[in-house]
Amino acid sequence: MGFLQRLGSAFSAIIAFLVGVITLVSLLLGGNPGLFGDLPQAADLAALLALPAAVLLRLVALVIALGVLIGIANLLLTHAQRLMRGRALSAALLGSFALTLFWYVARAGDTSLLEAVQLPIESSLAALLCLTLVGGAARVIAKRADIWSLLFVLSLLIVLLASLPWAELEPLRAWRDWLLRVPVSAGTRALLLGIALATVVAGVRIALGQDRAYRG
Amino acid sequence: MAEATITLAGFVLTLMVFSYLLGDLPYIGNLYRIAVYIFVGMAAAFTAIVSYEGLLLPYLQDIQDPTTSWTALGSGADIVIFSAAALIGALLLLKPIGALSWLTNSVFAVLIVVGAAVAAVGALSGTLIPLMSATGTLPAAFLSDFTATVDALLIVLGTCTGLYYFHYQARAGDDGAPAPSRLSSGLRYIGKAFLVTALGAIYASTLLSSLTILTERIGFLFSIGG
């Protein structure tokens, strides 16, 4: 690694650290005068601390919007190149993109094309998911017949069967309600807390420059 | 006429997507791919429209109006923020140039670090604190109602052991291999039972949702075909 590259890497790390610390402090302490107790200028101080995060978030929102447009331009460019190499399917993507833009501009914001094309495709893809999920559940039993896969399928079957509108299944519905209220609620809380803890740790590590995920 | 065209388009596209079930047959296999390509093209177009009309255009209109301001710094700062965003967006285009990677990495650093900080603070205030306080809060009928007491204790036990399941530290045994204590193994066993039950119920809910959509699509096809 050359001297200039090391200097560039250090520059990125310093920028990341400064922006990270400023954003964290601003988000945690800004906009909440209650944190400063009985200080006479608590409201002004809270507003001042909230300012850096407000500016940075506005800046990042704008850059993300520009980034989305750049990404879409890259998608179109890639498919135009594929089309020139004889991959005819890319014509469907480019054609639908052009038609949607033309329709929207020519008909002053009309979104009927969304209803006619996008919604049927989206809901048909979601419907296909049902068959994939049934296949996945069957494979769980076929390939790993241990206590955990049995517990998984048992929980799955109780919730599925209890949703059937038959009076004979009334006791199962009581079981389903208890299952959702207690073990499922506890398991879901554990999963959500785990995700939140991992997000906080990973976020703080990136914000403090310990994880340099931005190095390309 | 427009109504009939929308219905016909929906019918044809639904059949194209369902052709996936027939497998990779010649010609027919391409129908599914064409539908997906149309979907991606259209989704990209709507995303571009929303990004421009929902974000960029209002900001462009705002910075021309001196009476409005995004921050407490006044409308002059809005122009600086917008110009900085445009400059950063332009710098993102320099990513393929290796010699300027320090510059594009710095731009990415700002974006990723702000995103990470927002995610961390959001997870802390939106999930971690509310869920922990909800789990730790005992029901009003605690101790007076046996069932409610057992349920509340089971939720606390399930949440704690479910979290403990993701704890992988263990002391080294005599042979150097990890040897977790019996207590640790037992707690992880209980936690796994709660997690598997929850995942099964979540799987069933997703299955029910997609089944509802599948029956709606089949009903739609029959209503047109019949």
Side-chain angles (χ1 to χ4, degrees), chain A residues 130 133 137 152-163 176 179-180 184, chain B residues 196-212:
Chain A
C130 175
L133 287 175
F152 179 84
V153 174
L154 187 71
S155 164
L156 175 80
L157 284 178
I158 288 175
V159 176
L160 281 182
L161 290 174
S163 65
R176 189 263 319 261
L179 194 78
L180 293 179
V184 172
Chain B
V196 168
T197 311
L199 289 173
I202 293 168
Y203 198 92
S205 306
T206 315
L207 194 59
L208 278 174
S209 307
S210 57
L211 188 66
T212 311

Side-chain angles (χ1 to χ4, degrees), chain A residues 201-212:
Chain A
V201 172
V204 171
R205 278 177 65 88
I206 292 172
L208 296 180
Q210 282 193 306
D211 264 355
R212 297 190 194 167

Side-chain angles (χ1 to χ4, degrees), chain A residues 94-113:
Chain A
L94 294 170
S96 66
F97 182 88
L99 177 70
T100 310
L101 275 191
F102 172 76
W103 188 279
Y104 191 80
V105 174
R107 300 183 65 150
D110 179 16
T111 54
S112 57
L113 207 59

Side-chain angles (χ1 to χ4, degrees), chain A residues 8 11-12 20 57-58 62 72 82 89 96 100 104 118 122-123 126 130 133 137 148 155 178 181 189 214, chain B residues 21 34 37-39 41-42 44 51 53 59 102 105-106 113 118 135 151 192 196-197 201 203 207 210 213 217:
Chain A
F11 179 74
S12 307
L57 287 179
R58 189 69 67 158
L62 278 165
I72 290 170
R82 279 166 57 105
L89 278 176
S96 66
T100 310
Y104 191 80
Q118 187 103 345
E122 268 180 26
S123 50
C130 175
L133 287 175
W148 303 116
S155 164
W178 179 83
R181 203 177 58 248
R189 280 179 196 199
Y214 45 84
Chain B
L21 297 172
I34 292 170
Y37 273 64
I38 291 172
F39 174 67
M42 206 159 263
S51 296
E53 285 204 336
Y59 284 0
W102 63 275
N105 282 350
S106 303
V113 161
V118 170
T135 307
D151 285 354
K192 192 174 178 181
V196 168
T197 311
Y203 198 92
L207 194 59
S210 57
I213 300 171
R217 277 293 96 188

